Amino acid sequence: MKTAKINIVITIVLLLVSGMEAHAQLGGLFEKAKEKAEKALEKKIDKNTASTKAKTIINAGNGQVIVGDSAVFSEDFSAFTTGATASSFKTNGVANVVTIKGQKGKWMDIKDKAIYKFARQINYPKQFTLSFDIIAIADQIKDISPMSFGFAGDNSVRQHESNIGTYVQLHYYDANQVNIGSQKPEKFVSTTFDLEPWLDRPLHVVLAVNSDRMAVYLNDVKVADTILFSPTAAKNFYISAPWQYDNDAKILVSNFEVAGFKK
């Protein structure tokens, strides 16, 4: 009888020990699987240019904009009569020069589904700034589809295209979303800037380019500063108009300045 009881106890102990070993092995397998999953996620994040890592370079806050001191190109449309075509730009649409009640100077009316580029190709220096003003006119910001501007690889205006080359996209109908990216190298970052307070008044834009980097300032707020060009990228400035305006909304631009830096 005692022998039987001893055998039962031994069996129970063996089962418990076996169970503990199995649990330890299973726990080890779970831990290894967890480590593999974490590493895979880290790799995925590293490859995703819209990741949190990419976003750490945006929302840089207020910063002093240092503009170039050597003029390359300027256009404020003052030489054109109201209603004339701005010959300093080419487009697949219309480039009318207009005035705005309550605003100084003359402006180019940006038509929907149109793309605009400088009529004369500019040989940009290695370091330069390009600045201009935007006025979005609307009863409600949701009446304006997104517009984009930046640098394309060619100076063609055959068709309307958005987010080509290196770009900044203002999502007016989302009120505060700004997307910044490039195709070569592939990069995409998204940030916020409150666009609604800039309805019916000029928003000053500065693109500060230094070799392969570009900093983007909206009314002296730096919203991006990162590598957005390949070393040999051609640069042709463009404005891609919103695809659609509602309720007589419109966008106008003026006061273009391109300047390099004296050595």
Side-chain angles (χ1 to χ4, degrees):
M1 189 71 177
K2 282 185 177 181
T3 301
K5 288 182 178 180
I6 291 170
N7 289 337
I8 292 171
V9 171
I10 291 171
T11 301
I12 292 171
V13 170
L14 290 172
L15 288 171
L16 288 171
V17 171
S18 176
M20 290 172 65
E21 290 178 351
H23 179 74
Q25 291 176 357
L26 187 59
L29 290 173
F30 277 131
E31 191 62 30
K32 288 181 180 179
K34 181 182 176 183
E35 289 176 2
K36 287 183 179 179
E38 288 175 347
K39 288 180 180 179
L41 182 59
E42 288 173 358
K43 288 181 180 179
K44 183 178 180 181
I45 289 174
D46 286 341
K47 290 179 181 178
N48 184 356
T49 55
S51 67
T52 302
K53 183 177 180 181
K55 290 181 181 178
T56 60
I57 60 173
I58 61 180
N59 286 324
N62 292 331
Q64 184 179 2
V65 184
I66 301 175
V67 297
D69 53 14
S70 180
V72 175
F73 171 83
S74 65
E75 179 60 273
D76 62 3
F77 307 112
S78 59
F80 297 94
T81 59
T82 302
T85 298
S87 58
S88 50
F89 279 79
K90 60 181 183 177
T91 178
N92 66 330
V94 180
N96 287 339
V97 174
V98 301
T99 57
I100 307 172
K101 185 178 180 180
Q103 296 293 336
K104 296 179 180 179
K106 295 179 180 179
W107 300 76
M108 184 169 69
D109 190 2
I110 300 297
K111 299 298 184 182
D112 59 331
K113 304 178 184 65
I115 189 167
Y116 297 81
K117 294 182 181 179
F118 293 144
R120 175 175 64 87
Q121 283 189 280
I122 295 175
N123 184 20
Y124 294 99
K126 180 179 179 181
Q127 184 179 7
F128 67 93
T129 55
L130 189 154
S131 61
F132 64 105
D133 293 331
I134 300 173
I135 291 184
I137 297 177
D139 292 331
Q140 302 178 81
I141 199 164
K142 67 180 182 180
D143 290 335
I144 303 176
S145 297
M147 73 167 291
S148 62
F149 50 85
F151 297 92
D154 60 55
N155 209 41
S156 170
V157 291
R158 289 187 301 272
Q159 61 184 11
H160 176 269
E161 295 179 281
S162 296
N163 298 352
I164 53 178
T166 294
Y167 63 88
V168 179
Q169 185 179 50
L170 307 182
H171 271 244
Y172 280 100
Y173 60 31
D174 290 322
N176 66 352
Q177 184 180 342
V178 178
N179 293 335
I180 299 149
S182 67
Q183 296 174 342
K184 293 181 182 180
E186 289 187 4
K187 182 165 290 189
F188 175 85
V189 292
S190 183
T191 185
T192 57
F193 178 88
D194 196 357
L195 295 165
E196 192 162 15
W198 298 97
L199 286 180
D200 304 315
R201 63 190 183 115
L203 171 65
H204 189 57
V205 177
V206 178
L207 306 179
V209 177
N210 189 354
S211 188
D212 58 356
R213 297 187 69 87
M214 185 171 79
V216 180
Y217 297 85
L218 299 178
N219 197 50
D220 296 331
V221 175
K222 185 191 287 186
V223 295
D225 187 354
T226 186
I227 294 174
L228 289 168
F229 298 100
S230 64
T232 58
K235 297 179 179 70
N236 296 275
F237 178 72
Y238 74 92
I239 295 174
S240 182
W243 184 255
Q244 180 176 328
Y245 296 116
D246 292 324
N247 302 314
D248 298 321
K250 62 178 64 181
I251 284 178
L252 306 102
V253 294
S254 189
N255 304 317
F256 291 86
E257 297 282 349
V258 178
F261 290 83
K262 295 176 182 177
K263 295 182 180 180

